[in-house]
Amino acid sequence: MKQDLRVMKTQESLRNALLTLLKTKALDSISVAELCRLAKVNRGTFYSHYKDVHGVFKHYLEVIVEDFKKAYEEPYYRTGFRIQYIRPEMIKIFDHVNRYKSFYQIIFHQKIPMMYYYLLFDTVRKFMYESLENNHINPELEVQMDYLISYQANAILGLIMEWNRQDYATPTEELSKQLITILSINSPFRNKE
Amino acid sequence: MKQDLRVMKTQESLRNALLTLLKTKALDSISVAELCRLAKVNRGTFYSHYKDVHGVFKHYLEVIVEDFKKAYEEPYYRTGFRIQYIRPEMIKIFDHVNRYKSFYQIIFHQKIPMMYYYLLFDTVRKFMYESLENNHINPELEVQMDYLISYQANAILGLIMEWNRQDYATPTEELSKQLITILSINSPFRNKE
DNA sequence: TACATTATTGAACAGATGTACAAGAAACTG
DNA sequence: CAGTTTCTTGTACATCTGTTCAATAATGTA
């Protein structure tokens, strides 16, 4: 049983309308009414498909997360996460973010709800979880996986947020070089000795 | 020139009403109209003080950030950030978050705008910036301060978010122990060898 | 205390939200 | 192709938003 043609038409129309509106105004300033007017969809119909405008936007995020996963899961990544190999892995991620920066700018915006951030956070966490499993590291250390993963995953997102804050001025190559340097620092705030 | 008494009364009334409403419903479900009804403040008056309900909530966040800073800036913290001394520093922060967890639960909620997260992020970044300056580390390494700081600051927030996700089940002592262990791992995903 | 200043109120407005329901239109199914 | 199912539409309603404005009340000050 496939999708009803009318449903597909309605949703596609709303998605196109959102893309059009996003060219000229911020996501959080787009109302359901405005979106429906442009898409020529009855407002009642809208509410039978989505809860709010974010519901429509979420569709794009799913596409992006899909690309994110693809960028990450290419065969040679499965080699692990050792520091000397981190560059080719990360540059792919940074390339991905760079490719979709117009969306990341929206997602990271002050007025946008945390839900999108969590989607990214969870995606990165899942990647790291798999990496850690494959490499079964530090069984002697008493670290709760969840904390280690959340620490590392959010650190990467912190890097990307900084990149976003600087309007993606840093080239991806430079960014991954920065990451390598950061990772090579043993303890984050050690003194020189 | 001090504040007008009427202004103070209005704002206090709105703040109290918000606290009352937060006991029974989520921040994002509280409308300006409802808040004003409970506070017995004219809606027009509301808009001459705040832009929306978040404007009122922000006041509490300022109080919390103030406490955060106090928790961080106690004299002996100025000793630096070396790994062996990180425990007493961090436990204070974790204690702070634990003390205000009902607020952090709100801030970290899916539907809440990123603005509060940025406020935390910026606060932690500022702390780290000062720590790094005092300890003038790795001048030989070519790291852009901004990236290093955003990486580290967001990593800590990742830890706190994970704590929040687990409903603050982990005791603060255990959490700071986890942090020490994580920091002691040289590269985040090194293989054992 | 009297006066000038400033804040609050109430009312009104156009537009938005979220929900409901009957009537009509479009799509699937045999 | 006909019939049934499902979706969309139009309309309506109560409530909320954000803004404006004149009238009124409270405050600070000379």
Side-chain angles (χ1 to χ4, degrees), chain A residues 88-133:
Chain A
E89 301 208 17
M90 280 309 171
I91 201 141
K92 282 265 174 181
I93 293 184
F94 296 149
D95 275 340
H96 155 82
V97 173
N98 197 52
R99 184 158 59 248
Y100 290 101
K101 67 179 154 202
S102 57
F103 280 98
Y104 282 97
Q105 279 166 338
I106 294 172
I107 291 168
F108 288 137
H109 192 275
Q110 293 257 358
K111 289 186 180 175
I112 296 303
M114 295 282 288
M115 56 179 298
Y116 301 116
Y117 188 85
Y118 278 113
L119 223 151
L120 287 180
F121 188 36
D122 290 345
T123 305
V124 179
R125 265 170 56 212
K126 220 181 118 209
F127 290 154
M128 300 215 160
Y129 189 75
E130 288 161 7
S131 290
L132 279 177
E133 280 204 319

Side-chain angles (χ1 to χ4, degrees), chain A residues 82 108 110 112 114-115 117-118 125 137 144 147 150 152 154 158 162 165 170 178 188 190-191, chain B residues 82 108 110 112 114-115 117-118 125 137 144 147 150 152 154 158 162 165 170 178 188 190-191:
Chain A
R82 269 162 298 157
F108 288 137
Q110 293 257 358
I112 296 303
M114 295 282 288
M115 56 179 298
Y117 188 85
Y118 278 113
R125 265 170 56 212
I137 52 156
Q144 262 183 260
Y147 282 120
S150 291
Q152 295 295 348
N154 216 43
E162 182 63 35
R165 208 172 64 80
T170 313
Q178 292 288 319
R190 67 136 192 256
N191 283 326
Chain B
R82 270 160 298 157
F108 288 137
Q110 294 257 358
I112 296 303
M114 294 282 288
M115 58 178 297
Y117 188 85
Y118 278 113
R125 266 171 56 214
I137 51 156
Q144 262 183 261
Y147 283 120
S150 291
Q152 296 296 349
N154 217 42
E162 181 63 34
R165 209 173 62 80
T170 314
Q178 293 287 320
R190 67 137 190 256
N191 284 328

Side-chain angles (χ1 to χ4, degrees), chain B residues 4-193:
Chain B
D4 191 300
L5 280 180
R6 293 164 295 183
V7 174
M8 293 178 67
K9 205 194 85 190
T10 299
Q11 297 190 351
E12 207 175 305
S13 188
L14 285 168
R15 271 184 261 126
N16 289 336
L18 182 59
L19 266 201
T20 305
L21 287 175
L22 279 176
K23 282 173 193 159
T24 55
K25 57 193 304 189
L27 177 58
D28 67 279
S29 74
I30 297 170
S31 69
V32 173
E34 186 177 16
L35 191 60
C36 289
R37 269 196 304 272
L38 185 61
K40 295 196 197 314
V41 166
N42 191 276
R43 215 158 46 79
T45 308
F46 176 95
Y47 283 111
S48 71
H49 290 293
Y50 304 106
K51 212 171 57 55
D52 50 31
V53 177
H54 288 295
V56 185
F57 185 75
K58 229 180 285 180
H59 174 263
Y60 293 107
L61 203 35
E62 276 155 25
V63 174
I64 289 168
V65 167
E66 213 42 59
D67 181 87
F68 194 0
K69 285 180 182 164
K70 233 182 283 172
Y72 202 92
E73 282 169 350
E74 297 202 356
Y76 72 97
Y77 289 159
R78 308 246 130 267
T79 55
F81 224 87
R82 270 160 298 157
I83 179 106
Q84 54 269 48
Y85 295 142
I86 210 164
R87 212 190 87 86
E89 301 207 21
M90 280 309 170
I91 201 138
K92 279 267 177 182
I93 292 183
F94 295 149
D95 275 340
H96 155 83
V97 173
N98 197 52
R99 184 159 59 249
Y100 290 101
K101 66 178 154 201
S102 57
F103 280 98
Y104 281 97
Q105 279 166 338
I106 295 172
I107 291 167
F108 288 137
H109 191 276
Q110 294 257 358
K111 289 186 179 174
I112 296 303
M114 294 282 288
M115 58 178 297
Y116 301 116
Y117 188 85
Y118 278 113
L119 224 150
L120 288 179
F121 188 36
D122 290 345
T123 305
V124 179
R125 266 171 56 214
K126 222 181 115 208
F127 290 154
M128 298 213 162
Y129 189 74
E130 287 161 6
S131 289
L132 279 177
E133 279 204 318
N134 291 348
N135 299 310
H136 49 79
I137 51 156
N138 46 291
E140 74 283 356
L141 288 166
E142 279 186 45
V143 203
Q144 262 183 261
M145 277 282 245
D146 290 337
Y147 283 120
L148 174 58
I149 286 167
S150 291
Y151 181 97
Q152 296 296 349
N154 217 42
I156 295 289
L157 289 184
L159 216 60
I160 294 172
M161 280 169 98
E162 181 63 34
W163 197 23
N164 179 75
R165 209 173 62 80
Q166 297 182 14
D167 231 3
Y168 300 93
T170 314
T172 49
E173 292 84 7
E174 171 60 22
L175 194 61
S176 67
K177 211 188 292 178
Q178 293 287 320
L179 176 59
I180 295 166
T181 312
I182 291 170
L183 290 176
S184 72
I185 303 175
N186 191 308
S187 136
F189 292 92
R190 67 137 190 256
N191 284 328
K192 58 182 178 189
E193 80 219 65

